[in-house]
Amino acid sequence: QVQLVESGGGSVQPGGSLRLSCAASGFTLDGYAIGWFRQAPGKEREGVSCRSSGDGMTYYADSVKGRFTISKDNAGNTMYLQMNNLKPEDTAVYYCAAVRPPAGAQPMCLMRAFSNWGQGTQVTVSS
């Protein structure tokens, strides 16, 4: 069974840091484009950061550039989102996602482009 299982969410004060993890079960992330998305109450799910398969090119939403970093471990089983200098507006449920793109193509960092999803983990930034 193909699964993505997230961990690492929680509550933190503004300026703090969290690292989200997403473990792949039943498959390896090698050859998959990966991404992190978030959804705040009353808002649509948005792409926070994505990384293409192969060359590992990355995308970051303007709101998180310089603060968040997406990565994947060398074993290809776990992806991460390091979040630094967190702000109250970062409060949301965060989802990891993965998709095996067709040859020669890479997905945009959009919800509709990804087919495998984690269950979501809550991140709350508040003083």
Side-chain angles (χ1 to χ4, degrees):
Q1 183 180 2
V2 172
Q3 271 190 312
L4 294 172
V5 181
E6 302 173 13
S7 59
S11 296
V12 64
Q13 291 186 340
S17 298
L18 284 174
R19 189 175 81 156
L20 304 182
S21 300
C22 176
S25 176
F27 72 112
T28 174
L29 292 172
D30 287 343
Y32 278 72
I34 61 175
W36 288 93
F37 296 75
R38 67 186 181 187
Q39 188 166 17
K43 295 188 176 181
E44 293 186 353
R45 194 173 299 186
E46 63 173 349
V48 174
S49 179
C50 293
R51 174 175 163 162
S52 63
S53 61
D55 61 8
M57 286 188 63
T58 55
Y59 159 88
Y60 293 95
D62 287 344
S63 58
V64 306
K65 279 181 183 176
R67 300 189 297 121
F68 290 13
T69 303
I70 188 171
S71 63
K72 181 167 69 76
D73 70 354
N74 290 333
N77 293 329
T78 305
M79 55 193 281
Y80 304 97
L81 185 68
Q82 177 67 43
M83 305 185 294
N84 298 328
N85 189 22
L86 282 160
K87 304 176 180 181
E89 51 264 41
D90 295 319
T91 296
V93 177
Y94 283 71
Y95 299 87
C96 61
V99 65
R100 181 179 284 279
Q106 292 293 335
M108 296 182 68
C109 201
L110 298 172
M111 181 179 170
R112 64 176 182 265
F114 286 77
S115 54
N116 300 286
W117 290 86
Q119 79 284 2
T121 186
Q122 177 70 45
V123 171
T124 302
V125 185
S126 173
S127 55

